[in-house]
RNA sequence: GCCCCCGUAGCUCAGUGGAUAGAGCGGUACUCCGACGAAGUUACAGGUCCCGGGUUCGAAUCCCGGCGGGGGCACCA
């Protein structure tokens, strides 16, 4: 506690560390794992990447979750905010590799074990930054039990799930076309691919047909006839270099122009390979020439066509992003872009390019590395999703999981209903290594929690798969793996299922949907009853807030400037059910509110202290009036403010429970400014000073008081001020302040906790006090109407 | 291509069937008075509620069609 006389301003920088330390020491953030989940209130934090530092999204979501947690903790629930970080496979590996490069070494040089050791060291060093930063905004997480998605216990959960799903036939290995990310040198999932619009050249290329077979008979003799007499086909492509891997040409079976070509054979230029002409209804007759080159090894659609028609797969692009030996001597080793130019050049030399046009289309890029995705065939591990998705669809349909705001519900359902297999293996070193072992001798596959001694088949030596799991595989288990699952721990019983999950919409599929699927599959219960999807905070100009664009605003800078309460208030006040622009004004408004509340309390307490002839405080309510049983309103303004207070108490709780944080915050601001300070404190000033009520106008606030009295119906009932009245006034004022401060605590915890130490002599923490509840006996419509009339009169 | 959201005061946003459409910030004027001066109070100014049609006694709000902006999903060479 800091003497109130000393400063006329609330000083966040002085107060915040002191208050936070008291909270931590109190143990309030760390609940005992007792009882059942139904009695408690728990939230699993979206685990930030260990590579990360706090950005606006964290700050907003931290504020939201903390409001919920503090509100329910005060309401008497056993409350746990599960804390932890995510190992973030690709991001972390890339960051550490960058550091290694700067040292002139590489992960290859260190070897796998050495590299993993390095990452763990790195994590010890930098991995806790973000947790420390969460403390700055006042997040009341359970810091005593921090989890990490790569801890031993967590790993056991991951392995348990993998092995189970494998034996249930949901996890399988396949040679399939995947999104290869040459940047991170790994396959990535569909969700990690983003499409970018790009201008390219669409080349039309003529392939000759082998002589013989049905004549090529286009309508009206339009059929192209090449000089060799066999005719030709003309295909269109934006990726001429992939033609080296063509293994067929396709036409639509209903295409009158070309269907007779089916069964004939084309000759692949530059290569000479014979390509069957096939009929497949994937081909769009109206696009290009209506004749399609089929490259099963490098195009997802062609891959499917290839499977349907049992086509050969010729991989001409390797995992290094360069042309492989199968591309032929002439092109092997070239980058894709060089090969494209070279192929075009060669085709042009042969006179095979019949048209070139500008073409705008979508090109896949890796969300992780930013490099262009190279679709290619690779042996990877996949997960069947349909069987997992079905119950997760039901859970949202029947409301066991409620998504707020509900327009995200449809998006979720739509995606889930069209879900596709998930590629879960990654060619990285940092992550959960697959619990898969191959016999070095016979190749037999063992999937087990621990390495088998020998191959069950031939007694050979089993070797563990080199790959690790997609980071989101482990994240999907977050709400229960953090609580000790698969053990039946007291934590799990006390806090699972969790109450709510709060996140931005960008990871609805990547994470939220998968948690629901895994939660249902492995615990039989939904992992959370509600999902709150919060705003994305954009830069003030409406662009994305990002470091690279230079549009980022660092929440820590804002906390330094305005205080954590101000930033929390501001973020909550600007948030809504959709994306919003960052509003510096709202943060300043929060700062103003903290300062106003500080000064209002300071004023009231110092005044009451001096009124009671005591020059110092604390002036606690129970010290003023032992056995205090509630406020005793004496004047109309007392009845009015007490009545208004009940309304804001009810509203604030209801708005928080509705996830309407903006109105909860702004409502508090309005009450404190427009009712408590501008009117009640001003009206009451003369009474606090011991002047007669309704006394002569003497300027200033007394003047206003007099005018209010004149406007009131009871103007003539002004009574002389007695000691009783002043004590009753003090009691009312303190009751109002204590209630207001407690009410605002979830939104602006620091200033309210600081004020509480002045308003309460017990020495207890506000964070552990009961949350105010509306006392309907204090609602007084008559007083409200009367005082509103008085206020109007004064305004006139 | 399909789907979702948004368009209200100078700015950021509330309001989503009922009266003269609101707040904060900014602007102007005032105040200098007993907490708060990188402050406080009060007042004033400021709006074809994107456009056009429709439903209704009544539309910013519901419906249809545009225009503009943002986002998600999708394998179209």
């Amino acid at each position: 506690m800091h003497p109130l006389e000393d400063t006329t301003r609330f000083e966040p920088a002085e107060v915040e560390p002191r208050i936070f330390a008291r909270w931590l020491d109190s143990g309030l953030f760390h609940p005992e794992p007792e009882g059942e989940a139904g009695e408690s209130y728990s939230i699993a934090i979206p685990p930030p990447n260990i590579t990360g530092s706090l950005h606006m999204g964290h700050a907003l979501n931290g504020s939201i979750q903390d409001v919920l947690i503090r509100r329910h903790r005060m309401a008497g629930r056993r409350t746990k905010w599960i804390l932890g970080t995510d190992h973030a496979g690709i991001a972390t590996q890339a960051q550490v590799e960058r550091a290694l490069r700067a040292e002139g070494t590489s992960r290859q040089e260190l070897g796998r074990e050495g590299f993993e050791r390095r990452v763990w060291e790195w994590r010890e060093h930098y991995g806790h930054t973000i947790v420390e930063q969460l403390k700055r905004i006042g997040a009341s997480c359970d810091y005593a039990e921090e989890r990490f998605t790569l801890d031993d216990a967590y790993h056991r959960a991951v392995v348990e799930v993998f092995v189970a799903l494998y034996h249930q036939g949901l996890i399988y290995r396949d040679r399939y076309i995947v999104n290869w990310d040459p940047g991170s040198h790994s396959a990535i999932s569909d969700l990690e691919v983003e499409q970018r619009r790009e201008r390219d050249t669409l080349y039309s290329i003529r392939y000759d047909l082998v002589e013989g077979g049905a004549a090529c008979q286009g309508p009206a003799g339009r059929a192209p006839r090449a000089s060799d007499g066999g005719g030709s086909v003309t295909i269109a492509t934006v990726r001429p270099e992939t033609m080296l891997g063509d293994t067929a040409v396709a036409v639509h079976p209903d295409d009158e122009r070309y269907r007779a070509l089916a069964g004939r054979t084309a000759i692949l230029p530059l290569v000479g390979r014979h390509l069957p002409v096939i009929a497949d209804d994937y081909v769009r007759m109206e696009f290009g020439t209506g004749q399609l080159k089929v490259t099963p090894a490098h195009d997802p659609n062609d891959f499917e066509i290839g499977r349907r028609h049992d086509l050969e797969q010729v991989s001409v692009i390797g995992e290094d992003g360069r042309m492989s030996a199968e591309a032929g001597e002439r092109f092997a080793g070239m980058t894709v872009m060089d090969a494209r130019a070279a192929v075009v050049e060669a085709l042009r030399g042969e006179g095979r390019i019949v048209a070139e046009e500008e073409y705008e289309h979508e090109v896949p890029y890796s969300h992780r590395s930013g490099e262009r995705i190279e679709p290619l065939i690779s042996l990877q591990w996949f997960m069947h999703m349909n069987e997992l998705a079905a119950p997760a669809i039901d859970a949202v349909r029947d409301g066991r999981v409620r998504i707020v705001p509900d327009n995200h519900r449809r998006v979720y359902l739509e995606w889930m209903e069209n879900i596709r297999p998930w590629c879960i293996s990654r060619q990285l070193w940092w992550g959960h290594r697959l619990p898969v072992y191959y016999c070095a001798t016979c190749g037999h596959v063992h999937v087990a929690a621990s390495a088998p001694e020998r191959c069950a088949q031939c007694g050979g030596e089993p070797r563990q798969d080199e790959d690790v799991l997609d980071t989101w595989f482990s994240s999907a288990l977050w709400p229960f793996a953090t609580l000790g699952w698969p053990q039946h721990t007291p934590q799990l019983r006390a806090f699972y299922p969790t109450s709510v999950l709060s996140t931005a919409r960008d990871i609805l599929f990547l994470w939220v949907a998968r948690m629901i699927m895994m939660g249902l599959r492995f615990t039989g219960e939904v992992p959370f009853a509600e999902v709150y999807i919060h705003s994305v905070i954009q830069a003030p100009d409406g662009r994305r807030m990002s470091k690279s664009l230079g549009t980022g605003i660092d929440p820590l800078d804002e906390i330094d400037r305005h205080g954590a309460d101000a930033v929390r208030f501001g973020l909550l006040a600007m948030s809504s059910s959709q994306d919003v622009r960052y509003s510096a004004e709202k943060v300043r408004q929060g700062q103003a509110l903290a300062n106003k509340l500080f000064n209002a309390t300071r004023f009231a307490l110092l005044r009451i202290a001096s009124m009671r002839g005591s020059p110092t405080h604390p002036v606690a309510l129970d010290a003023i009036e032992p056995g205090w049983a509630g406020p005793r309103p004496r004047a109309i303004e007392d009845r009015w403010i007490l009545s208004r207070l009940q309304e804001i108490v009810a509203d604030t709780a209801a708005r928080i429970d509705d996830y309407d944080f903006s109105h909860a915050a702004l409502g508090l601001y309005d009450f404190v400014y427009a009712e408590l300070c501008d009117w009640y404190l001003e009206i009451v000033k003369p009474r606090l000073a011991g002047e007669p009520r309704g006394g002569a106008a003497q300027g200033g606030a007394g003047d206003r008081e007099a005018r209010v009295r004149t406007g009131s119906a009871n103007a003539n009932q002004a009574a002389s001020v007695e000691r009783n009245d002043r004590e009753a006034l003090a009691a009312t004022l303190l009751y109002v302040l204590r209630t207001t401060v407690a009410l605002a605590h979830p939104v602006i915890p620091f200033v309210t906790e600081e004020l509480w130490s002045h308003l309460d002599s017990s020495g207890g923490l506000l964070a552990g006090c009961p949350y105010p509840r509306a006392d309907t006996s204090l609602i007084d419509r008559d007083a409200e109407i009367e005082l509103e009339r008085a206020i109007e009169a004064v305004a006139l």
Side-chain angles (χ1 to χ4, degrees):
Chain A
M1 180 162 50
H2 195 83
L4 279 178
E5 299 89 324
D6 287 8
T7 174
T8 62
R9 288 188 66 77
F10 174 64
E11 300 288 354
E14 186 275 320
V15 172
E16 287 170 8
R18 186 158 50 73
I19 294 283
F20 198 86
R22 287 185 64 205
W23 286 334
L24 264 192
D25 291 346
S26 74
L28 272 174
F29 296 175
H30 177 59
E32 289 307 315
E34 290 162 359
E36 307 286 323
E39 306 157 17
S40 62
Y41 188 87
S42 57
I43 298 179
I45 198 171
N49 291 356
I50 48 166
T51 54
S53 58
L54 197 82
H55 62 235
M56 273 309 163
H58 297 126
L60 172 64
N61 201 16
S63 302
I64 286 170
Q65 293 168 87
D66 200 44
V67 166
L68 294 169
I69 286 283
R70 285 179 187 272
R71 182 253 187 283
H72 286 96
R73 183 185 294 121
M74 290 177 80
R77 304 277 286 276
R78 185 179 299 103
T79 302
K80 184 180 175 82
W81 187 356
I82 302 163
L83 174 68
T85 51
D86 194 295
H87 67 280
I90 293 176
T92 309
Q93 176 156 333
Q95 194 145 330
V96 175
E97 282 196 75
R98 209 172 306 130
L100 290 178
R101 258 199 305 281
E103 292 169 22
T105 179
S106 68
R107 77 178 155 109
Q108 285 77 9
E109 221 164 281
L110 292 178
R112 185 161 188 152
E113 265 183 45
F115 177 74
E116 283 183 61
R117 213 176 309 121
R118 265 306 289 269
V119 187
W120 279 103
E121 283 167 21
W122 184 91
R123 188 240 169 188
E124 278 315 305
H125 233 83
Y126 303 104
H128 300 284
T129 313
I130 190 138
V131 172
E132 291 308 308
Q133 291 172 330
L134 276 171
K135 295 178 179 174
R136 289 290 316 276
I137 64 162
S140 58
C141 307
D142 186 354
Y143 295 95
E145 288 188 353
E146 185 183 329
R147 303 296 182 207
F148 183 49
T149 55
L150 218 47
D151 281 341
D152 288 342
Y154 205 106
H155 182 66
R156 282 194 290 277
V158 169
V159 166
E160 170 104 7
V161 166
F162 185 98
V163 172
L165 289 175
Y166 175 80
H167 289 303
Q168 290 158 12
L170 295 186
I171 284 179
Y172 61 99
R173 200 181 191 206
D174 194 9
R175 278 184 61 81
Y176 201 82
I177 191 146
V178 297
N179 306 298
W180 184 262
D181 175 6
S184 49
H185 206 82
S186 174
I188 60 176
S189 72
D190 295 341
L191 284 173
E192 294 163 301
V193 175
E194 65 181 24
Q195 305 289 334
R196 295 189 198 161
R197 273 207 94 69
E198 255 176 34
R199 290 193 86 79
D200 262 316
T201 305
L202 182 66
Y203 297 93
S204 296
I205 304 167
R206 181 168 48 81
Y207 292 9
D208 291 334
L209 291 167
V210 173
E211 206 159 347
C216 177
Q217 34 186 246
R222 200 198 145 272
R225 290 200 78 88
S227 52
D228 66 5
S232 67
V233 293
T234 303
I235 58 86
T237 181
V238 288
R239 301 201 56 189
E241 72 281 10
T242 63
M243 68 165 283
L244 301 170
D246 284 4
T247 55
V249 168
V251 297
H252 194 100
D254 301 336
D255 193 331
E256 292 181 4
R257 299 170 297 175
Y258 307 126
R259 68 176 160 211
L261 291 175
R264 291 196 57 187
T265 302
I267 304 165
L268 184 60
L270 309 182
V271 178
R273 185 161 51 235
H274 281 203
L275 311 175
V277 178
I278 57 172
D280 191 288
D281 49 20
Y282 166 76
V283 181
R284 281 171 61 219
M285 291 183 271
E286 70 283 6
F287 188 92
T289 58
Q291 299 170 325
L292 173 72
K293 78 195 251 309
V294 183
T295 321
H298 297 291
D299 182 283
N301 308 306
D302 295 6
F303 180 84
E304 294 298 338
I305 296 173
R307 284 214 161 173
R308 281 198 289 275
H309 297 269
D310 204 20
L311 297 177
E312 200 188 337
Q313 297 168 345
V314 178
S315 293
V316 293
I317 301 169
E319 295 183 347
D320 54 1
R322 289 173 180 271
M323 304 308 286
S324 68
E326 286 198 79
E329 236 174 83
R330 205 163 151 191
F331 304 105
M334 285 185 182
T335 65
V336 168
M337 282 307 168
D338 288 347
R340 181 176 301 181
V343 166
V344 168
E345 179 72 29
L347 289 170
R348 203 172 271 139
E350 291 188 13
R352 295 200 167 271
I353 297 194
V354 297
E356 295 178 36
E357 53 185 303
E358 283 276 286
Y359 184 63
E360 201 177 89
H361 67 141
E362 306 266 310
V363 181
Y365 277 82
S366 164
H367 204 75
R368 303 294 155 205
S369 69
E371 291 205 22
R372 219 189 73 180
I373 292 297
E374 200 55 71
L376 48 81
I377 292 172
S378 178
L379 185 56
Q380 301 284 348
W381 288 88
F382 295 86
M383 195 191 290
H384 284 301
M385 300 305 287
N386 289 326
E387 190 180 326
L388 291 162
I393 289 170
D394 292 343
V396 168
R397 271 235 181 81
D398 64 26
R400 273 175 294 147
V401 175
R402 191 168 77 97
I403 300 179
V404 183
D406 66 2
N407 52 305
H408 293 286
R409 202 180 105 106
R410 263 185 67 180
V411 179
Y412 168 94
L413 290 173
E414 223 160 86
W415 186 77
M416 290 288 273
E417 280 157 6
N418 297 298
I419 199 161
R420 300 192 302 152
W422 172 17
C423 176
I424 53 173
S425 47
R426 296 290 178 275
Q427 289 63 58
L428 304 174
W429 284 354
W430 178 241
H432 292 280
R433 198 156 165 186
L434 271 63
V436 178
Y437 305 84
Y438 309 99
C439 174
T441 324
C442 73
H444 184 71
V445 179
H446 303 253
V447 174
S450 52
E453 294 263 324
R454 317 206 158 285
C455 173
Q457 205 89 334
C458 72
E461 189 194 342
R463 297 234 177 91
Q464 188 168 8
D465 196 302
E466 294 291 318
D467 290 354
V468 301
L469 287 164
D470 182 359
T471 302
W472 296 105
F473 186 98
S474 50
S475 316
L477 319 180
W478 183 250
F480 50 95
T482 48
L483 295 171
W485 185 93
Q487 318 277 343
H488 296 283
T489 61
Q491 279 86 354
L492 197 63
R493 191 173 335 113
F495 303 114
Y496 187 88
T498 62
S499 307
V500 61
L501 181 95
S502 174
T503 184
R505 65 179 143 66
D506 55 346
I507 49 177
L508 183 62
F509 310 140
L510 219 41
W511 189 47
V512 180
R514 287 166 178 170
M515 280 191 287
I516 298 175
M517 290 187 267
M518 292 302 193
L520 284 166
R521 183 80 179 191
F522 288 96
T523 70
E525 294 189 81
V526 296
F528 27 72
E530 307 206 310
V531 177
Y532 175 65
I533 307 284
H534 68 243
S535 294
V536 172
I537 308 271
Q538 302 168 333
D541 60 7
R543 285 188 296 168
R544 198 170 205 87
M545 215 183 247
S546 102
K547 250 180 223 160
S548 51
L549 283 174
T551 51
I553 297 175
D554 186 343
L556 296 167
D557 289 346
E558 293 289 276
I559 291 173
D560 288 340
R561 247 192 292 279
H562 306 285
D565 291 325
V567 172
R568 292 167 63 112
F569 177 96
L571 288 171
L572 293 168
M574 73 184 86
S575 77
S576 80
S577 60
Q578 65 216 35
D579 293 356
V580 289
R581 297 176 182 209
Y582 187 77
S583 162
E585 279 78 29
K586 289 283 192 297
V587 173
R588 266 183 247 125
Q589 213 178 324
Q591 188 177 4
L593 174 64
N595 196 51
K596 191 81 170 174
L597 203 51
F598 179 83
N599 276 295
T601 306
R602 177 171 167 269
F603 168 68
L605 290 182
L606 293 179
R607 195 48 53 114
I608 291 168
S610 81
M611 177 184 95
R612 298 181 68 243
S614 151
T616 56
H617 56 284
V619 187
L621 197 53
D622 41 358
I624 287 176
E625 199 167 347
W628 190 74
R632 285 177 297 138
R634 287 298 173 94
I636 182 77
E637 63 266 21
D638 299 339
R639 285 162 50 209
W640 171 75
I641 195 67
L642 288 169
S643 184
R644 299 299 306 148
L645 181 64
Q646 305 319 312
E647 188 168 319
I648 190 68
V649 164
D651 276 4
T652 303
R655 285 162 171 173
I656 291 173
D657 294 345
D658 281 350
Y659 303 105
D660 185 1
F661 303 103
S662 172
H663 287 107
L666 293 169
L668 285 166
Y669 178 93
D670 270 352
F671 175 75
V672 169
Y673 263 82
E675 304 193 286
L676 180 57
C677 292
D678 293 350
W679 288 97
Y680 187 65
L681 284 183
E682 293 298 337
I683 293 172
V684 120
K685 274 177 179 175
R687 287 168 67 199
L688 273 175
E691 286 161 19
R693 295 173 55 201
Q698 29 198 300
D703 195 28
R704 169 183 287 170
E705 204 272 357
R707 281 177 289 172
V708 168
R709 302 257 137 252
T710 309
S712 114
N714 298 328
N716 298 330
Q717 294 187 0
S720 64
V721 177
E722 299 162 0
R723 182 152 203 86
N724 273 352
D725 177 58
R726 296 171 65 192
E727 289 299 332
L729 171 61
T732 301
L733 192 47
L734 285 166
Y735 168 81
V736 171
L737 280 170
R738 284 166 60 113
T739 307
T740 305
V741 160
L743 188 67
H745 182 258
V747 176
I748 44 174
F750 288 104
V751 66
T752 49
E753 189 69 76
E754 172 72 357
L755 290 174
W756 193 253
S757 62
H758 298 285
L759 286 164
D760 184 273
S761 61
S762 72
L765 284 165
L766 174 56
C769 282
Y771 202 59
R773 298 176 62 177
D775 178 351
T776 49
S777 73
L778 291 172
I779 292 175
D780 189 335
R781 294 281 170 232
D782 294 342
E784 291 202 27
I785 290 164
E786 195 168 336
L787 212 87
E788 269 157 32
R789 286 215 329 257
I791 288 171
E792 265 174 56
V794 171
L796 284 171

